[in-house]
Amino acid sequence: MKRILSLILSIVTAVCTLTAVSFSASANSMTTAVPVSLGQVYSTSVCDTVESSYKSWIKFDCTADGYYELTCTSKSAPYGALYVTVFDSGKNTINFSSNGTSQLSFKTVTYLYAWQTYYFCIETDGTLCELDAVIDVHNHLYTNVQTVKAVADDTAEISRDGFTRFACSVCGSYYDAGAYSCPSNVVLSTAKYSYNGVERRPAVTVYDKSGAVISPAEYIVTYEDNILPGKAFVTVTFNSLWYDGELTKSFLIVPSKQAVTYLKSKKSRSISVKWNKDNNASGYELQYSTSPKFYKSKTVTVNISKKSTYSKTISNLKSKKTYYARVRSYKTIGGVKYYGSWSAKQRVKTLK
């Protein structure tokens, strides 16, 4: 009886062994993929020249969402590269990777979802390669640190905050931390200048979105159209470790202060006024009044739309009355008049 039991056990063991060997050898298609569990080492071989060893398939039933790595370790230096393709249960490729021709070990990392079945296909373009394959949970190695610059732009949709990106050196997965605000506002020390023939350069202070001042070391400042009357521009350009992009700001250069050069009453009830010609202006505004403080009710304003006109005779005034006159230049920009300073007032008494 003992001999019969011993013989039966021997037969069963032999059958199981033959079945395991046969199953492993025939794992060259998705339907014959060898099921493995987490952390289980699966020994196999692949060879580009042998049809039965051309591919080796592994089947894995995932029980939790997360990143998983398949590590292939060759038992000797492979002649040719190894390739790993990962499929979902619908036979869709969800990952593909390969190693160098002489690497003994390499990993492929894939994000898998719980309660789904996945298939890993291992193949080579070289001669026979014997290897051990194991699927395990992937623990990220965040050794690649990158500073993503904050971007400044006059268009709010383009500007963005900066941050530090930590990326896994194995799979490339990343997370962002340490956000800092983008530059958002340029404040000038002076918003309006009078023309004096030289460049105007207001001092610049730059604030980020949170209201903090950004160091001048982070940007350079350039000026445009900042001599003649009109609209001048400041451009703040960022190209540092933390910031990129640019912001612009405008300021005004208005005509220089005018001067009345002639004010006389040569005829009864009239006065003649002359002032400096301003080639950089669009025109002039003349005021005359019986009030030394130019109260509105006692003041008349005359617009002179040509810069080549720099004199005016005013008639139908009261006789033997004291009048005050002043003038200023203006520059028209985009349909808006920007005025220089009034001249010092002059006074004259009309003839009888």
Side-chain angles (χ1 to χ4, degrees), residues 53-299:
S53 299
Y54 177 55
K55 297 180 179 180
S56 185
W57 288 77
I58 298 173
K59 177 183 177 182
F60 176 66
D61 292 322
C62 184
T63 58
D65 292 350
Y67 284 92
Y68 292 83
E69 61 187 27
L70 171 67
T71 304
C72 295
T73 305
S74 301
K75 296 179 180 179
S76 60
Y79 180 75
L82 284 175
Y83 303 92
V84 174
T85 309
V86 185
F87 299 86
D88 61 18
S89 56
K91 299 183 180 181
N92 301 303
T93 301
I94 61 173
N95 195 7
F96 173 81
S97 59
S98 65
N99 74 332
T101 57
S102 61
Q103 295 178 3
L104 289 175
S105 178
F106 89 105
K107 298 176 187 279
T108 180
V109 179
T110 312
Y111 191 89
L112 306 180
Y113 295 94
W115 315 119
Q116 296 191 31
T117 299
Y118 295 91
Y119 298 86
F120 296 77
C121 177
I122 307 169
E123 53 190 313
T124 183
D125 61 6
T127 56
L128 181 67
C129 177
E130 296 180 326
L131 56 91
D132 290 333
V134 60
I135 297 174
D136 222 329
V137 174
H138 172 64
N139 295 312
H140 294 303
L141 185 62
Y142 292 109
T143 57
N144 295 337
V145 181
Q146 175 191 6
T147 298
V148 179
K149 297 180 181 180
V151 175
D153 196 274
D154 295 322
T155 304
E157 290 77 10
I158 298 176
S159 64
R160 69 160 186 257
D161 292 340
F163 52 87
T164 302
R165 175 163 291 173
F166 298 85
C168 176
S169 59
V170 178
C171 70
S173 175
Y174 64 86
Y175 70 92
D176 300 329
Y180 55 95
S181 297
C182 64
S184 64
N185 189 27
V186 176
V187 176
L188 305 181
S189 58
T190 304
K192 185 168 73 172
Y193 290 91
S194 292
Y195 169 74
N196 66 353
V198 299
E199 285 189 289
R200 294 297 197 174
R201 292 174 171 263
V204 170
T205 305
V206 182
Y207 296 86
D208 67 19
K209 197 168 63 176
S210 70
V213 175
I214 296 176
S215 168
E218 303 291 342
Y219 55 83
I220 60 172
V221 179
T222 55
Y223 300 85
E224 293 180 75
D225 303 326
N226 59 328
I227 298 178
L228 297 176
K231 188 172 285 188
F233 299 91
V234 178
T235 301
V236 179
T237 303
F238 301 87
N239 189 16
S240 66
L241 178 63
W242 306 103
Y243 304 101
D244 207 350
E246 66 179 31
L247 296 173
T248 58
K249 191 80 171 182
S250 64
F251 62 96
L252 291 174
I253 300 176
V254 297
S256 55
K257 185 176 181 178
Q258 263 292 350
V260 173
T261 59
Y262 180 89
L263 180 61
K264 295 288 185 181
S265 177
K266 297 195 298 182
K267 292 183 180 181
S268 175
R269 300 173 61 195
S270 70
I271 59 174
S272 295
V273 188
K274 293 183 180 180
W275 57 88
N276 287 326
K277 182 180 180 181
D278 190 344
N279 290 320
N280 295 311
S282 301
Y284 312 94
E285 191 174 78
L286 169 67
Q287 284 188 341
Y288 61 93
S289 178
T290 56
S291 165
K293 294 187 177 181
F294 289 87
Y295 290 130
K296 187 175 181 180
S297 61
K298 297 182 179 182
T299 301

Side-chain angles (χ1 to χ4, degrees), residues 289-325:
S289 178
T290 56
S291 165
K293 294 187 177 181
F294 289 87
Y295 290 130
K296 187 175 181 180
S297 61
K298 297 182 179 182
T299 301
V300 177
T301 301
V302 180
N303 179 66
I304 294 94
S305 60
K306 293 182 179 180
K307 65 180 179 182
S308 57
T309 301
Y310 48 98
S311 65
K312 181 72 175 178
T313 297
I314 302 165
S315 304
N316 299 320
L317 304 177
K318 294 179 181 180
S319 62
K320 300 184 70 176
K321 186 73 173 177
T322 299
Y323 283 88
Y324 301 86

